[in-house]
Amino acid sequence: MTRIIMNGANGHMGQVITQIVAKDDDSEIVAGIDPYTEEKNDYPVFASPAECDVDADVIIDFSNAKAVDGLLEYADKKQIPVVLCTTGLSDVQIEKVNETSKKVAILRSANMSLGINTLFELLGKATKVFADAGFDVEIVEAHHNQKLDAPSGTAIALADAVNEAADGKYTYIYDRHDRRQKRDPKEIGISSIRGGNIVGEHEVIFAGDDEVITFKHQATSKSVFAKGAVEAAKFLKGKPAGLYDMRQVIAAK
């Protein structure tokens, strides 16, 4: 049984994870952390990490960037591994994540979906074929109108997967409206769409002469991210200090 502390327990994702874990025989949420403590849960909810005194195997974090620093300090002090799902971290915060991972296990991923993380592997193989054949690479991502960051962390991670397989030959272009020049073959264009309640769509396009190959992932519900986070928590339980990602979760299946 994996005992979980849910950071951001009363946010939307925290409640989705609560519902999923309630039906899972191999995990349980033993405590939550959330500034809003009035929501009725089957576990105690504390207003801050410092107030939480419940023993657990793993923390799942779906909160916000402002809450991450305090959570990392708590995880280090209590030696509880963290599945870090919050996006939009600053460079300073990412460095703090890396430093903290030397003392306690942290799994950080731009997207917790098992499908997206399988796509990372497929893109690596596809790039080995298409990059040397002169195919252009474009990425288009779409999300709901409340999303703060653009492009999405997942879109950048997809570009990174392509670039890594191509030995780092690409640069990223986020906006072409003021670029009066022909497309450079060594660039990946990343375009963002924001509207309605789109959960998350990502499309990677390899465009060559006379043919186009497209890889697309569409999330129709946020439960795909919640399911991935719970699987990640089970994987991270008992792991030694280090920085982990969802590809290792998939490989362990």
Side-chain angles (χ1 to χ4, degrees), residues 159-193:
D160 288 344
V162 171
N163 207 18
E164 181 180 340
D167 298 322
K169 79 173 188 178
Y170 291 109
T171 57
Y172 304 164
I173 303 299
Y174 304 110
D175 190 357
R176 287 200 179 93
H177 82 279
D178 60 349
R179 294 167 57 84
R180 307 293 295 175
Q181 62 189 60
K182 186 169 65 173
R183 186 189 195 283
D184 190 319
K186 292 185 179 180
E187 70 184 36
I188 297 176
I190 304 177
S191 303
S192 299
I193 297 169

Side-chain angles (χ1 to χ4, degrees), residues 133-178:
F135 282 66
D136 295 323
V137 186
E138 293 286 312
I139 296 174
V140 180
E141 58 95 354
H143 285 85
H144 53 86
N145 58 21
Q146 300 300 303
K147 186 170 178 62
L148 300 179
D149 53 322
S152 68
T154 300
I156 296 172
L158 290 168
D160 288 344
V162 171
N163 207 18
E164 181 180 340
D167 298 322
K169 79 173 188 178
Y170 291 109
T171 57
Y172 304 164
I173 303 299
Y174 304 110
D175 190 357
R176 287 200 179 93
H177 82 279
D178 60 349

Side-chain angles (χ1 to χ4, degrees), residues 4-10 14-15 18 29-37 41-49 51-54 56 59-60 74:
I4 298 168
I5 293 174
M6 184 66 235
N7 191 43
N10 290 329
Q15 288 297 293
T18 296
I29 297 180
V30 294
I33 300 171
D34 198 293
Y36 177 73
T37 60
N41 295 290
D42 293 332
Y43 50 82
V45 177
F46 301 90
S48 69
E51 297 176 34
C52 182
D53 57 357
V54 178
I59 301 167
I60 295 179
Y74 173 81

Side-chain angles (χ1 to χ4, degrees), residues 7 60-68 71 83-89 93 107-110 112:
N7 191 43
I60 295 179
D61 170 63
F62 261 111
S63 57
N64 59 69
K66 293 180 180 179
V68 167
L71 179 68
V83 176
L84 187 60
C85 307
T86 296
T87 59
L89 302 184
Q93 287 179 306
L107 188 149
R108 177 174 175 262
S109 180
M112 302 306 296

Side-chain angles (χ1 to χ4, degrees), residues 8 11 15 17 38 56 67 85 91 100 124 141 157 164 177 205 221 238 253:
Q15 288 297 293
I17 290 174
E38 300 304 316
C85 307
D91 290 342
T100 305
E141 58 95 354
E164 181 180 340
H177 82 279
I205 302 166
S221 166
K253 286 188 169 293

Side-chain angles (χ1 to χ4, degrees), residues 7 16 43 69 91 114 119 126 149 160 190 204 206 227 229 245:
N7 191 43
V16 173
Y43 50 82
D69 291 340
D91 290 342
L114 296 175
L119 182 56
D149 53 322
D160 288 344
I190 304 177
V204 182
F206 291 91
K227 291 174 183 176
D245 62 33

